Amino acid sequence: MSSTSQKHKEFVAEPMGEKPVMALAGIGEVLGKRLEDKGFDKAYVVLGQFLVLRKDEELFREWLKDACGANVKQQGDCYGCLREWCDSFL
């Protein structure tokens, strides 16, 4: 498994609460703003989409690319972050 960023570690270490979308690994200011503009302003809203897509990696990556233009690394970072959070808290 690839190493995880500090941002990833911090995100998966605690309940999501009201964390902003930019708290997700792989989502910085530019992608975060694009997601906010489409109504995905909180991490839990992106989590909702992740769950609607049944935690399917391919579907989630495609959705994230279409929603905000995330590249392959960003897609993978965000997917891994949400997958690990779900494994710990759901």
Side-chain angles (χ1 to χ4, degrees), residues 16-51:
M16 197 172 302
E18 294 287 323
K19 289 181 181 178
V21 70
M22 287 177 255
L24 290 163
I27 306 298
E29 280 189 46
V30 173
L31 298 185
K33 178 73 172 110
R34 290 178 188 161
L35 287 167
E36 287 174 354
D37 289 347
K38 293 188 176 191
F40 296 90
D41 59 330
K42 301 286 185 183
Y44 68 78
V45 182
V46 176
L47 172 65
Q49 183 66 26
F50 178 76
L51 296 174

Side-chain angles (χ1 to χ4, degrees), residues 4 8 10-11 17 19 25 28 35 39 46-47 50 53 57-58 71 77 89:
T4 55
H8 174 109
E10 289 172 4
F11 188 86
K19 289 181 181 178
L35 287 167
V46 176
L47 172 65
F50 178 76
L53 295 172
E57 183 172 5
E58 186 178 336
N71 67 32
D77 289 350
F89 293 97

